[in-house]
Amino acid sequence: MLASRFMRATKMIVGISVKDIEGSSAAMKKALFFAQAGDKITAIHVPTLMPEMMLSSMSDPGDASEDALLALSNMPTKAGAAMMDKMRQVAAAEMALTGKTINIDYKVSAPTSLVKIGLLAACRYEGANVLIIGAGVGGKGSIPPFVAQNADGVTVCIVRDHIK
């Protein structure tokens, strides 16, 4: 029985958003609720590519200091890392509450202008069976319906438990 359970282990992706902290936390809790021994959860944040990063708003990028260019290129990564720290706290508290011990990886992907497609690409790259995401700010996000329509071969769970 145990061997068959490991053969069926589920690879879950939890979509993390800086804009929807409450929804991301709810998605992480739901993933931990669904998870069983042998399952693997990967929390992924796909940052938005900002115009400042493309240096299109600078009149002459050559005039920018090396420190300024470094700060601009690290902005989404730093925001994603801070969000992952928050998700680590949520996961640790939830695992302590439920008594489960689940393997969780935390990743920040490369910034992209098409976050929806970047999230689906991350699911394919990670070999996910299940994608769990929040519903967006106030339950009105545009990513949940997009992934529900386009995540071929992946079960999508949109968590709305926290929406009143």
Side-chain angles (χ1 to χ4, degrees):
M1 170 107 172
L2 184 60
S4 66
R5 174 65 192 134
F6 284 114
M7 295 296 287
R8 297 180 300 166
T10 301
K11 174 75 178 184
M12 294 183 217
I13 299 292
V14 177
I16 305 300
S17 170
V18 174
K19 293 179 184 175
D20 185 22
I21 296 170
E22 191 177 1
S24 297
S25 298
M28 178 59 77
K29 289 177 183 178
K30 188 62 73 173
L32 288 166
F33 174 78
F34 289 146
Q36 299 178 17
D39 291 348
K40 183 169 172 135
I41 297 173
T42 303
I44 295 183
H45 172 61
V46 181
T48 303
L49 184 65
M50 298 179 180
E52 296 85 20
M53 293 176 59
M54 296 184 286
L55 304 175
S56 62
S57 61
M58 299 179 96
S59 57
D60 185 9
D63 292 340
S65 70
E66 192 173 310
D67 291 338
L69 292 174
L70 186 61
L72 285 173
S73 65
N74 286 334
M75 260 191 309
T77 306
K78 286 183 180 179
M83 189 64 194
M84 288 303 162
D85 287 340
K86 170 74 174 152
M87 288 301 107
R88 281 185 185 90
Q89 293 170 4
V90 168
E94 192 68 17
M95 284 192 284
L97 186 67
T98 61
K100 292 183 179 180
T101 303
I102 305 295
N103 184 16
I104 304 174
D105 288 334
Y106 300 89
K107 298 181 180 182
V108 178
S109 76
T112 178
S113 58
L114 301 170
V115 173
K116 299 170 187 180
I117 293 172
L119 182 59
L120 293 178
C123 287
R124 279 191 297 278
Y125 179 78
E126 295 290 331
N129 305 99
V130 179
L131 170 62
I132 303 173
I133 58 174
V137 178
K140 309 276 190 251
S142 63
I143 293 177
F146 179 85
V147 297
Q149 292 173 350
N150 296 290
D152 298 332
V154 177
T155 299
V156 177
C157 176
I158 301 168
V159 180
R160 297 184 54 87
D161 298 350
H162 62 287
I163 305 291
K164 302 289 182 214

